[in-house]
Amino acid sequence: GILRIIETDPLSDIRSEIRGVTTRAAADYLPVGSGFGTFQQVYEMNETPETMNSSYVNHAHNDWLELLAEVGVIGLLPLLAFFGWLGRKLFRAFRPGHPETYPLALGLIFLGLHATIDLLIWFTPLMFTAGFVLAAMTTFTEQSSFEQDQARS
């Protein structure tokens, strides 16, 4: 896992090559993307002899970049709206009076950050867990806010 990534020379890490090819592919298909489920084919079309290796690449190992390549900027608009909503919920989670939401909010932030270096979105159990954590954080935040409002009345 993480030790393998830390011990690997970043200059020889295949993920940086994959990101470069994926970035070129995403730029080729802006603003609408290549379509859901087309990453493998589009990646192969954008590989150069210098970036070809013995590994089969079926995902970008950067979920956000892979989504950009597949759905483009236009396809990311609903996701950006969700991130706006999530940002407001995270902001509320870190306000005083919500200590039970801190670890939940941090867990979501770390999952989002981890998605930039490895696969997460495509792994159903992790997405289920993220959804559960988000629901719990939102519920606790709303409940705490309601209780604070009731105490003031």
Side-chain angles (χ1 to χ4, degrees):
I2 193 87
L3 291 177
R4 177 182 45 83
I5 293 171
I6 292 170
E7 293 170 351
T8 302
D9 177 12
L11 297 177
S12 67
D13 185 12
I14 189 172
R15 293 169 198 226
S16 61
E17 290 178 9
I18 294 172
R19 278 190 294 273
V21 173
T22 305
T23 301
R24 283 194 304 277
D28 288 348
Y29 288 94
L30 284 177
V32 295
S34 60
F36 275 116
T38 61
F39 175 78
Q40 293 170 340
Q41 296 84 7
V42 171
Y43 183 87
E44 290 171 5
M45 291 178 356
N46 282 276
E47 274 186 306
T48 63
E50 296 80 33
T51 60
M52 288 184 160
N53 57 60
S54 60
S55 299
Y56 178 69
V57 178
N58 59 351
H59 286 289
H61 292 275
N62 180 325
D63 288 336
W64 312 120
L65 189 54
E66 184 170 335
L67 272 173
L68 177 64
E70 288 189 344
V71 301
V73 175
I74 292 173
L76 288 179
L77 290 177
L79 184 64
L80 293 174
F82 168 75
F83 282 146
W85 175 84
L86 178 61
R88 288 192 313 274
K89 295 296 179 184
L90 288 170
F91 180 75
R92 288 187 73 183
F94 284 112
R95 285 190 357 212
H98 303 291
E100 67 279 1
T101 62
Y102 297 171
L104 298 170
L106 286 172
L108 289 173
I109 291 168
F110 289 142
L111 275 174
L113 291 174
H114 189 268
T116 64
I117 60 169
D118 210 353
L119 305 169
L120 285 181
I121 292 175
W122 312 112
F123 190 55
T124 304
L126 278 178
M127 285 298 88
F128 175 80
T129 302
F132 183 80
V133 169
L134 176 58
M137 182 192 75
T138 302
T139 301
F140 287 143
T141 302
E142 296 299 323
Q143 181 181 10
S144 296
S145 295
F146 178 76
E147 290 169 354
Q148 288 175 355
D149 290 344
Q150 291 297 318
R152 285 186 216 139
S153 302

